Amino acid sequence: MRIPILKLHNYLLISIQIDLDDQSAIQFQEDLLNKIYKSGATGVVIDLTSVDIIDSFIAKVLGDVVTMSDLMGAKVVLTGIQPAVAMTLIELGIHMQDVQTALDLEQGLIKLRQELEG
């Protein structure tokens, strides 16, 4: 099952509403990078509110998505990170010091706008 990627002005909005398995995570990575390339988006908000737990592979893919998006010129804000997900990321050594985070999608859009429009 594919994760919908919505375009709003120069931003892409993603709300992950499914349980991520290895295949859907890889498909999401490919879809997002292609959408950034085709749309010229400068910012991405990935909402993780519905993601209760992640394994090491999904955590790595998420970290890679942030890095790859940045390489393509799109800043990423992660929103709605659950406590278990935050703990897993740190336990696995996936530190996202340079990644903006916010409590919800609305705050994520505000942070993204501040980051990109100064």
Side-chain angles (χ1 to χ4, degrees):
M1 183 173 188
R2 286 201 144 118
I3 297 169
I5 301 172
L6 307 174
K7 186 169 187 309
L8 177 67
H9 305 291
N10 252 5
Y11 306 141
L12 299 177
L13 308 177
I14 301 105
S15 181
I16 299 177
Q17 301 287 321
I18 63 170
D19 288 331
L20 288 173
D21 57 31
D22 293 359
Q23 182 62 38
S24 61
I26 293 295
Q27 187 65 58
F28 166 64
Q29 180 178 348
E30 291 175 9
D31 289 348
L32 177 57
L33 296 176
N34 283 327
K35 190 81 167 191
I36 291 169
Y37 179 75
K38 289 178 182 171
S39 70
T42 57
V44 178
V45 178
I46 302 174
D47 182 49
L48 302 170
T49 302
S50 297
V51 178
D52 295 324
I53 193 161
I54 59 174
D55 64 21
S56 60
F57 182 76
I58 305 299
K60 182 189 178 322
V61 170
L62 185 59
D64 290 350
V65 162
V66 171
T67 303
M68 291 174 189
S69 297
D70 191 49
L71 285 171
M72 295 181 71
K75 294 290 179 197
V76 176
V77 176
L78 298 177
T79 64
I81 297 175
Q82 300 296 320
V85 172
M87 288 187 286
T88 301
L89 289 171
I90 298 305
E91 287 170 1
L92 294 171
I94 299 173
H95 301 283
M96 299 187 184
Q97 300 95 312
D98 299 330
V99 179
Q100 293 284 333
T101 59
L103 290 177
D104 59 32
L105 189 59
E106 183 179 2
Q107 290 299 314
L109 279 170
I110 290 168
K111 276 198 172 184
L112 192 57
R113 201 170 279 137
Q114 288 171 343
E115 171 109 2
L116 293 174
E117 297 171 11

